[in-house]
Amino acid sequence: MIFDVVLFPLFMLFLCLLGLGFESGTRLLLRAPDYTFPAFALPLFGLFTIGLVSLLVNFVAGVDRFYTFAPLLLFFAAGLVNLFPQAGRRLNTVILISIVMTPLAATMGPGYDGGLYHLPHQKWIRDEAIVLGLANMHGRFGFSSFLEYIAAPLWIDERFKLLSYVSVAFFVSFLVFLYNSMNSKQPVLRTLAALIAVNLVICNDYIAWHGWKYTSTDSGAGFVFAICFALGLHLITERDHGSQSNNGTLLFVFLMLAVMGFVLKASNALIAVWVLFVMLQLLWLGWVTPSQIAVASIIPAMFMAIWIARGVLTT
């Protein structure tokens, strides 16, 4: 665990730099130079970047190849360029909370489902291109989680230390979001964050040591779902919305989290009702424009098309 005190915060820094690289790519693709992601979103978008590259590579080959990491190096380099002079300040809270969460990252086990289908599916992703009808071998391969694509390239031989880091990274992002929310000027968001924090303290047995394992998709999907819900609440209750560009940025993050939550666990499709309500409310209040919604939906829609194509092939 001594080495984890250094390695886990470094891993979180790596995710944040990938997230900053994704931010740069988003600005370029959407021609939205004002997009600046909040700190809690950077590790999540770093994880998304790893999973996206892994998924795209897996259409033609197994991901245990050097060329899987070449695009990640490009995102990493873009993140380094984007880090200075102002972006670095967004990372302070992420790194501090990562240090506090190191014991959890160092001691998390695999869970009984790990050997049943999570790790076997990751092995398929590492070794082979997408296999037509793979779900016929095991039904769970047909509705597997995006987490498998995030985790598959992060094996170290057949050691899974980085998989526990991935799992705790979701929790760190969630804690950063709670911290920022409790320091928000918005009373609704502050109250919600305080209630969640109290609940975490009272019901910490599952999160701390027993039920949460690094192959579990439930925890990461749940944290993303919770952030997505609270961010939507922030969007429709915030009275001082500031610039239209900031609204567009938060709307993009909101839609990306909704899609990410769904691909992490299919039952998170329930969030679609909330997403529709939030967008209609924002339009009715005049806080975003239809063009902003259209622009913010481009990357989530493109990714969903890729994810559905994968699902068709594997089933």
Side-chain angles (χ1 to χ4, degrees), residues 168-245:
V168 180
F170 286 103
F171 191 36
V172 170
S173 294
F174 180 66
L175 293 177
V176 173
F177 179 79
L178 283 186
Y179 174 81
N180 291 340
S181 298
M182 285 190 285
N183 287 280
S184 169
K185 296 178 181 179
Q186 188 184 38
V188 174
L189 196 60
R190 282 204 314 269
T191 302
L192 178 63
L195 290 173
I196 293 174
V198 170
N199 187 62
L200 285 176
V201 172
I202 295 173
C203 306
N204 69 346
D205 190 56
Y206 171 80
I207 287 180
W209 312 111
H210 297 291
W212 187 10
K213 306 300 181 182
Y214 62 69
T215 57
S216 170
T217 63
D218 300 337
S219 300
F223 293 134
V224 172
F225 187 100
I227 295 173
C228 184
F229 173 81
L231 186 58
L233 190 64
H234 167 73
L235 282 168
I236 61 176
T237 58
E238 175 61 66
R239 292 292 177 257
D240 181 18
H241 267 257
S243 67
Q244 286 286 329
S245 62

Side-chain angles (χ1 to χ4, degrees), residues 89-113:
R89 284 178 288 185
R90 281 186 273 166
L91 308 187
N92 294 339
T93 307
V94 176
I95 300 304
L96 287 174
I97 293 179
S98 300
I99 294 171
V100 175
M101 289 295 106
T102 295
L104 184 58
T107 57
M108 185 177 291
Y112 65 88
D113 279 346

Side-chain angles (χ1 to χ4, degrees), residues 113-309:
D113 279 346
L116 180 62
Y117 61 94
H118 290 298
L119 295 177
H121 191 204
Q122 291 173 30
K123 179 69 171 171
W124 275 102
I125 295 170
R126 286 175 60 81
D127 294 345
E128 303 290 342
I130 287 178
V131 178
L132 295 176
L134 182 63
N136 292 306
M137 297 187 63
H138 197 308
R140 288 184 175 93
F141 291 168
F143 57 90
S144 61
S145 170
F146 185 58
L147 185 65
E148 317 294 20
Y149 289 90
I150 297 172
L154 298 180
W155 289 24
I156 303 172
D157 192 15
E158 291 192 355
R159 297 177 179 86
F160 312 118
K161 170 62 74 174
L162 294 183
L163 275 60
S164 67
Y165 285 10
V166 166
S167 192
V168 180
F170 286 103
F171 191 36
V172 170
S173 294
F174 180 66
L175 293 177
V176 173
F177 179 79
L178 283 186
Y179 174 81
N180 291 340
S181 298
M182 285 190 285
N183 287 280
S184 169
K185 296 178 181 179
Q186 188 184 38
V188 174
L189 196 60
R190 282 204 314 269
T191 302
L192 178 63
L195 290 173
I196 293 174
V198 170
N199 187 62
L200 285 176
V201 172
I202 295 173
C203 306
N204 69 346
D205 190 56
Y206 171 80
I207 287 180
W209 312 111
H210 297 291
W212 187 10
K213 306 300 181 182
Y214 62 69
T215 57
S216 170
T217 63
D218 300 337
S219 300
F223 293 134
V224 172
F225 187 100
I227 295 173
C228 184
F229 173 81
L231 186 58
L233 190 64
H234 167 73
L235 282 168
I236 61 176
T237 58
E238 175 61 66
R239 292 292 177 257
D240 181 18
H241 267 257
S243 67
Q244 286 286 329
S245 62
N246 184 60
N247 295 344
T249 303
L250 290 180
L251 179 62
F252 173 80
V253 173
F254 174 65
L255 294 177
M256 282 295 300
L257 292 180
V259 168
M260 192 172 176
F262 169 68
V263 298
L264 284 169
K265 193 170 182 65
S267 57
N268 272 356
L270 293 169
I271 200 69
V273 178
W274 178 240
V275 170
L276 180 61
F277 172 79
V278 169
M279 290 197 293
L280 290 175
Q281 185 79 351
L282 290 173
L283 284 171
W284 183 67
L285 293 170
W287 289 341
V288 298
T289 64
S291 63
Q292 283 182 307
I293 290 179
V295 170
S297 301
I298 291 173
I299 293 178
M302 291 171 60
F303 175 70
M304 279 304 303
I306 296 169
W307 185 254
I308 290 170

